[in-house]
Amino acid sequence: MCWGEQCDNFQTQTECVDCHSSCLNNNFQKKKWKKLEVRSTDGKGFGLFAKEPIPSGSFVIEFLGEIINHEEYVSLLQDVSGQRMYVLALKSKTYIDCRKKGSIARFINHSCEPNCRLEVWIVNNHLKIGAVCLKDIAMDEELSFDYQWDP
């Protein structure tokens, strides 16, 4: 049976596929995103804010975007000098480019004391990146993660 953290698949950051109806290990497939809102911030452009309390350990949102290889990433770095990037490393030499296609997760700002962390999960044999809450987040609190993230 799949009961969240007790599930063997959950322990390996792999979502269950074709599981029973009460399975709790399907956040990406069922888009179990928290209620969030993009807002202007002081000095950081835009940020992503909780529109509901989010308990520690909760799945928050999936990072979506176009999958690009290392050569495309290097080319992108040369073309967007001085612009916001919205690109995350998915694995070695593979990236998610959230600039043109993506979810509002791209508006999560950096913090040295983040309230979220990023995790790579396997979903239907595909790698996915999701934000997970590190500590309780209050309604209207800004979400953050450490940009020094290493997949």
Side-chain angles (χ1 to χ4, degrees):
M1 298 293 276
C2 297
W3 301 108
E5 295 180 16
Q6 288 76 39
C7 172
D8 290 338
N9 284 339
F10 183 88
Q11 296 297 322
T12 61
Q13 292 183 205
T14 303
E15 277 202 356
C16 297
V17 178
D18 298 325
C19 203
H20 56 83
S21 61
S22 58
C23 177
L24 300 174
N25 186 24
N26 50 22
N27 292 316
F28 288 90
Q29 295 171 78
K30 294 193 175 179
K31 294 184 177 11
K32 295 180 182 176
W33 299 358
K34 299 300 181 197
K35 293 177 182 151
L36 307 168
E37 178 180 62
V38 177
R39 289 191 213 150
S40 183
T41 64
D42 291 333
K44 296 184 283 185
F46 292 98
L48 193 60
F49 292 81
K51 290 305 301 166
E52 65 181 335
I54 305 173
S56 178
S58 297
F59 175 78
V60 179
I61 190 168
E62 178 181 0
F63 272 81
L64 296 170
E66 180 181 1
I67 305 298
I68 61 174
N69 63 30
H70 187 70
E71 291 75 24
E72 291 169 307
Y73 175 69
V74 170
S75 176
L76 178 66
L77 288 177
Q78 295 168 352
D79 291 342
V80 296
S81 178
Q83 297 177 24
R84 294 188 184 273
M85 281 292 293
Y86 305 114
V87 176
L88 293 172
L90 181 58
K91 63 180 182 175
S92 177
K93 298 187 177 184
T94 304
Y95 305 86
I96 295 181
D97 179 358
C98 305
R99 292 172 308 128
K100 296 177 185 171
K101 300 176 184 176
S103 66
I104 60 173
R106 68 183 180 201
F107 293 105
I108 299 176
N109 284 314
H110 166 79
S111 174
C112 293
E113 296 179 17
N115 55 18
C116 293
R117 72 173 176 270
L118 300 184
E119 294 181 352
V120 176
W121 279 70
I122 300 169
V123 182
N124 286 323
N125 294 317
H126 293 91
L127 297 178
K128 305 277 187 172
I129 297 176
V132 175
C133 192
L134 283 171
K135 52 189 172 188
D136 291 345
I137 297 175
M139 185 168 161
D140 293 321
E141 184 176 342
E142 184 177 4
L143 278 63
S144 62
F145 73 92
D146 184 348
Y147 281 6
Q148 298 302 312
W149 177 67
D150 183 6

